[in-house]
C-alpha cells in the first residue's frame, strides 16, 4: 500500500534527524547536524534490502515517488516564502558566490577527468565506464 | 467579495498553494521551452519567479515570510516549509544506487568531494568579504553555493535567519543558471567532450537541473554521464555541510 512507502520515508526522516540532533547534543552545538543527509543514506541502504525481501511492492514505491515528484514544486513554494526583500540588500553576494563557484570548478574538469580516464573514454557502448581496460580510441582532441 | 474569497481559500490554503504552484510551474516550463529554447531549465525559471513573488510579498506587507504574508497565499508557508521540503529531499535518495558511483571511479568521487568543498569555500569567502562574520550565516551562504537545496537545509538545521537563507537560495539559483548558460560555451576549451569528463563535471557542478540542461545544450550524449554523479551531489552536500563543514567552520570562526 502507498502508505507503507510514506511510512518508510517518514521513519527514515525521524531516525536520520535523531542522529543529527543526537550529534548536535553530543558536540554541544544547538541544531541538527546533517539529519537530512543521514535520512537519505538510510533510505538508500534500507529500501534495496526491503525490495530483495519482497516487502516493497510497486504501491509502496509510489508512496515515495509521489514526494520525489513534488520536490521541485515544494522548492518553488519555499523560494516564494523567503525573506527576499531583506536579502536584496546583499544581492551581489548571491550573484558573485554563485558565478565564482561555477567558474572555479570548470577549471578543474580537465585535471580531474584525466584521473577519471578521459583519454580512453568514448561513446562506444553502454558501459563506457572509465576503467583501465577500456581501450577505446580517444575521442577528446 | 473579500468575504467570499476568504471563506473559499481560508480553510483550504495548502490546496490553493498546490494549484498556484502548479499553474506557475506550467507557465514557467512553457517559457523555458518556447522562449529560452530549453537553455534555462523550467525549474530555475520557476524558482526565480518564486523569489520574485517573495520579494513582492516582503515589500508589500513588510513581513518576513515572502508571499505567505499575504493571507490568501499563506498556504505557501506550509507547502514550502522545512517539514515538507526535507521530506521531499529525503525521497529523492530513493533509487540511488551507490554502485553507480563506483562506475564513475576515483575521478568522479574526487570531483564530488572537491566540487562540494570548493563551492562551499567560495560561498564562505564571498560572504566574509561582504561583512558576514557569524558562523551560522557564513556556513549557510557557503552551503547555498553548493546548491539551492543544501543552503536552506543547512540554514534551517543550524537556525540561520530567513534573509540569509534567501541569499543562500539565490546563490544556488545563480549557480544553477550559470551552469546552464555557460556549459555550452566552456565545454570545448575545458575538455568536456567525453563521458569521463562529463562524470567529473557532474560531480564538480552538482546542480542536477543545471548540469542536465547544460549538457543537453552541449552534446545530448553526455547527459546520462553528468547526471550519474550530479545525483549524489545534493545528498552529499546535505550530509557534509551542516555537519563536517560546519564543525570546521566553528573551529575557524568560533
Amino acid at each position: 500500500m502507498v502508505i507503507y512507502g510514506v511510512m518508510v520515508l517518514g521513519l527514515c526522516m525521524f531516525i536520520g534527524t535523531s542522529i543529527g540532533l543526537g550529534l548536535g547534543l553530543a558536540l554541544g552545538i544547538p541544531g541538527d547536524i546533517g539529519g537530512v543527509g543521514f535520512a537519505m543514506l538510510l533510505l538508500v541502504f534500507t529500501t534495496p534490502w526491503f525490495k530483495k525481501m519482497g516487502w516493497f511492492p510497486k504501491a509502496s514505491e509510489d508512496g515515495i515517488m509521489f514526494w520525489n515528484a513534488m520536490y521541485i514544486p515544494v522548492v518553488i513554494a519555499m523560494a516564494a516564502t523567503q525573506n527576499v526583500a531583506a536579502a536584496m540588500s546583499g544581492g551581489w553576494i548571491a550573484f558573485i558566490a554563485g558565478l565564482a563557484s561555477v567558474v572555479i570548478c570548470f577549471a578543474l574538469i580537465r585535471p580531474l577527468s584525466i584521473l577519471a580516464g578521459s583519454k580512453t573514454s568514448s561513446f562506444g557502448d553502454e558501459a563506457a565506464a572509465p576503467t583501465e581496460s577500456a581501450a577505446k580510441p580517444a575521442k577528446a582532441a | 467579495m473579500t468575504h467570499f474569497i476568504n471563506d473559499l481559500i481560508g480553510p483550504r490554503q495548502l490546496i490553493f498553494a498546490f494549484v498556484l504552484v502548479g499553474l506557475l510551474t506550467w507557465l514557467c516550463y512553457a517559457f523555458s521551452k518556447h522562449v529560452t529554447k530549453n537553455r534555462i531549465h523550467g525549474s530555475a525559471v520557476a524558482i526565480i519567479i518564486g523569489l520574485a513573488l517573495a520579494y513582492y510579498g516582503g515589500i508589500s506587507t513588510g513581513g518576513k515570510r515572502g508571499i505567505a504574508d499575504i493571507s490568501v497565499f499563506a498556504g505557501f508557508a506550509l507547502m514550502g516549509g522545512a517539514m515538507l521540503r526535507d521530506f521531499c529531499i529525503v525521497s529523492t535518495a530513493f533509487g540511488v544506487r551507490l554502485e553507480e558511483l563506483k562506475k564513475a571511479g576515483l575521478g568522479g568521487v574526487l570531483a564530488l568531494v572537491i566540487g562540494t568543498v570548493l563551492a562551499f569555500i567560495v560561498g564562505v569567502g564571498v560572504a566574509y568579504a561582504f561583512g558576514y562574520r557569524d558562523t551560522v550565516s557564513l556556513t549557510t551562504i557557503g552551503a547555498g553555493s553548493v546548491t539551492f537545496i543544501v543552503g536552506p537545509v543547512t540554514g534551517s538545521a543550524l537556525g540561520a535567519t530567513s534573509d540569509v537563507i534567501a541569499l543562500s537560495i539565490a546563490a544556488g539559483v545563480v549557480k544553477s543558471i550559470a551552469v546552464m548558460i555557460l556549459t555550452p560555451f566552456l565545454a570545448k576549451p575545458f575538455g568536456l567532450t567525453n563521458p569521463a569528463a562529463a562524470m567529473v563535471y557532474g560531480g564538480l557542478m552538482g546542480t542536477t537541473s543545471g548540469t542536465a540542461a547544460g549538457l543537453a545544450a552541449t552534446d545530448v550524449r553526455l547527459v546520462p554521464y553528468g547526471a550519474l554523479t550530479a545525483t549524489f551531489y545534493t545528498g552529499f552536500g546535505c550530509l557534509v555541510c551542516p555537519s563536517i563543514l560546519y564543525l570546521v567552520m566553528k573551529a575557524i570562526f568560533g
Side-chain angles (χ1 to χ4, degrees), chain A residues 29 31-33 43 45 61 67-68 71 74-76 78-83 90 93 105-106 108 110 121-123 130, chain B residues 46 50 54 65 67 79 85 90-91 94 98 130 132 149 157 162 165 169 189-190 195-196 204-205 242-243 246-247:
Chain A
I29 296 163
D32 165 9
I33 311 295
L43 195 70
F45 286 114
E61 266 182 45
W67 294 103
N68 191 332
Y71 162 69
V74 162
V75 168
I76 295 166
M78 171 189 77
T81 52
Q82 300 302 315
N83 194 356
I93 297 187
C105 285
F106 250 101
L108 289 173
R110 209 184 275 277
S121 172
S122 77
F123 296 105
Chain B
R65 299 188 308 153
I67 197 78
M79 181 177 173
R85 183 200 63 208
V90 173
S91 78
F94 183 69
L98 290 175
F130 275 84
Y132 282 89
I149 300 301
S162 178
I165 293 179
I169 297 171
F190 285 96
L204 280 171
M205 303 300 165
S243 57
Y246 175 60
L247 296 176

Side-chain angles (χ1 to χ4, degrees), chain A residues 57-119:
Chain A
K58 173 81 172 53
S60 308
E61 266 182 45
D62 288 345
I64 296 180
M65 289 316 286
F66 172 77
W67 294 103
N68 191 332
M70 283 299 282
Y71 162 69
I72 290 293
V74 162
V75 168
I76 295 166
M78 171 189 77
T81 52
Q82 300 302 315
N83 194 356
V84 177
M88 281 305 270
S89 55
W92 281 104
I93 297 187
F95 195 76
I96 296 172
L99 205 60
S101 63
V102 174
V103 173
I104 291 172
C105 285
F106 250 101
L108 289 173
I109 294 179
R110 209 184 275 277
L112 282 172
S113 57
I114 291 170
L115 255 176
S118 68
K119 287 229 160 67

Side-chain angles (χ1 to χ4, degrees), chain B:
Chain B
M1 190 61 194
T2 334
H3 190 73
F4 176 78
I5 288 178
N6 283 341
D7 279 354
L8 181 69
I9 296 169
R12 301 168 187 83
Q13 288 168 337
L14 179 63
I15 311 298
F16 189 55
F18 286 155
V19 172
L20 286 184
V21 171
L23 188 68
L24 187 70
T25 306
W26 177 59
L27 289 173
C28 291
Y29 276 67
F31 177 86
S32 156
K33 191 175 172 193
H34 299 295
V35 180
T36 75
K37 304 286 172 209
N38 289 324
R39 189 151 280 187
I40 299 181
H41 197 276
S43 63
V45 178
I47 293 167
I48 294 170
I49 301 295
L51 288 169
L53 287 175
Y55 179 72
Y56 171 75
I59 51 163
S60 58
T61 64
K64 290 180 176 168
R65 299 188 308 153
I67 197 78
D69 280 321
I70 301 172
S71 63
V72 289
F73 302 122
F76 276 74
L78 184 53
M79 181 177 173
M83 180 172 69
L84 284 183
R85 183 200 63 208
D86 289 352
F87 198 56
C88 287
I89 291 166
V90 173
S91 78
T92 62
F94 183 69
V96 166
R97 293 195 311 261
L98 290 175
E99 306 94 76
E100 293 292 314
L101 194 59
K102 284 189 201 136
K103 273 195 205 162
L106 180 66
V109 176
L110 264 181
L112 195 62
V113 176
I114 294 174
T116 307
V117 174
L118 206 59
F120 183 82
I121 294 173
V122 169
V124 170
V126 173
Y128 192 86
F130 275 84
Y132 282 89
R133 290 294 179 271
D134 68 295
T135 317
V136 168
S137 297
L138 286 170
T139 307
T140 304
I141 296 170
S145 348
V146 175
T147 71
F148 54 74
I149 300 301
V150 181
V153 165
T154 304
S156 50
L158 301 177
T161 58
S162 178
D163 58 316
V164 169
I165 293 179
L167 262 185
S168 77
I169 297 171
V173 174
V174 169
K175 178 181 178 180
S176 175
I177 293 169
V179 169
M180 290 172 202
I181 296 175
L182 294 178
T183 300
F185 301 103
L186 299 180
K188 265 245 166 70
F190 285 96
L192 179 53
T193 48
N194 55 68
M199 282 193 260
V200 166
Y201 160 89
L204 280 171
M205 303 300 165
T207 150
T208 324
S209 51
T211 49
L215 285 176
T218 309
D219 182 344
V220 179
R221 293 175 301 170
L222 294 170
V223 174
Y225 300 98
L228 185 69
T229 40
T231 335
F232 293 95
Y233 193 85
T234 294
F236 184 68
C238 286
L239 186 63
V240 297
C241 285
S243 57
I244 301 167
L245 292 177
Y246 175 60
L247 296 176
V248 172
M249 290 292 291
K250 262 201 99 66
I252 298 171
F253 296 97

